[in-house]
Each structure stands twice: as C-alpha cells, then as structure tokens.
C-alpha cells in the first residue's frame, strides 16, 4: 500500500471496523425515528378535547420531520455500504408512548414525547461523539438532526410547564 495515498476517511479499507460500527448506530437511529413516526401519528389522531388541538397539530408536523430523519439515516446507511434493515428486525421500545386509557390525557402524551426526544438526543449525541474525527459527514448530518430533536423537546417541555403551572400535571 502506498503510504502517501490520500485518506478516504471512513471509506478507507483500514476504517472498515469503524464504518460497521457507525452503520450499527445509524440502524438504531433509523428504528427510533420509525417508531416515533408510529407513536406520533397515533397521538396526533387519538387525542380528544379542546386543549388537545395544539398538541395534535404539533405532533402531526413532527411526523413529517421524523420521517425525514428516518430517510436521512437510511440514505447514510446505504452510503456507508450498509443495508437498511427490513421490518422483521424492528423491536418496539416506546412503552411510554402507548395510547393512554383516556384520550383526553394530554399530559401522558406530552411526557411520552419528552421521553422519546430525550432518548433520541442521547443516542444522537453518542453518534456525534463516536464519529468525531472518523466520519465528519455522518457527524454533520446527525448534528442537524440532533438540533431538531432539541427543538422538539424544548417545545414539549414548555407544554408540560403550562400544565404543571395550572396544577394539571
Ligand atoms: Fe427525529
Ligand atoms: Fe423529534
């Protein structure tokens, strides 16, 4: 091998192991987004009541954003020579975002969304750390997605604060 050959970074054969590790992390991120799409569609339709409208609209918008994230993670898996997993590999994790007993229980949904966004923030922060100096393209993409999730979390924290202030949470 020519020692003076320019580096292809994450595409270098010497970086095969790192590339496979990143693909693994991206696969988990992909499933997190897909499950969030499912949970947010359900919540954006299920909730009842005058006060639920704002939350429902916000979640309906987020569905599109989370789907966009899933597509970005999938495309990056492909670029890194991975394979986007099939549906049989899916395992649900969002026990906290199952429909509440009462569909007017907005606080249950708000808390569930905050938990889902927190989980995404933690996993994407890990991807940013693990790709540092290894795969700047995946890192850059994930930072932008992480920014979106921080915005989602902050918005729903604000919703929760309102309910707490009024003694309803
Ligand atoms: Fe997302
Ligand atoms: Fe999100």
């Amino acid at each position: 091998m020519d020692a003076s050959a320019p580096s292809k970074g994450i595409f270098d054969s010497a970086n095969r192991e790192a590339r496979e590790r990143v693909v693994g992390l991206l696969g988990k991120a992909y499933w997190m987004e897909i499950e969030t799409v499912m949970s947010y569609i359900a919540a954006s339709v299920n909730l009842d009541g005058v006060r639920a409208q704002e939350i429902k609209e916000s979640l309906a918008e987020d569905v599109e954003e989370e789907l966009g994230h899933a597509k970005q993670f999938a495309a990056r898996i492909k670029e890194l020579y991975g394979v986007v997993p099939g549906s049989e590999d899916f395992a649900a994790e969002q026990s906290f975002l199952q429909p509440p007993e009462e569909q007017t229980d907005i606080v249950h949904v708000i808390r569930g969304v905050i938990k889902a966004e927190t989980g995404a923030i933690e996993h994407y922060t890990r991807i940013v750390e693990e790709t540092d100096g290894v795969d700047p393209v995946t890192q850059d993409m994930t930072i932008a997605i992480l920014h979106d999730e921080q915005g989602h979390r902050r918005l729903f924290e604000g919703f929760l604060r309102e309910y707490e202030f009024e003694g309803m949470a």
Side-chain angles (χ1 to χ4, degrees), residues 18-39:
R19 194 167 63 239
E20 284 170 357
R21 196 174 65 245
V22 172
V23 166
L25 293 167
L26 291 173
K28 180 176 163 66
Y30 170 75
W31 284 134
M32 289 174 93
E33 295 292 348
I34 294 288
E35 187 171 15
T36 298
V37 167
M38 289 195 268
S39 296

Side-chain angles (χ1 to χ4, degrees), residues 5 10 15 28 32 41 43 87 92 96 101-102 106 132 150 158:
I10 194 72
N15 281 331
K28 180 176 163 66
M32 289 174 93
I41 287 177
S87 58
F96 47 86
E101 231 156 85
E102 292 295 330
I106 301 165
D132 192 47
Q150 289 176 345

Side-chain angles (χ1 to χ4, degrees), residues 3 5 7 14 30 37 55 59 68 71 75 94 101 110 136 142 145 162:
S7 171
Y30 170 75
V37 167
I55 308 289
L59 284 170
K71 287 178 178 174
Q94 292 178 354
E101 231 156 85
I110 295 173
T142 306
I145 295 173
E162 184 186 332

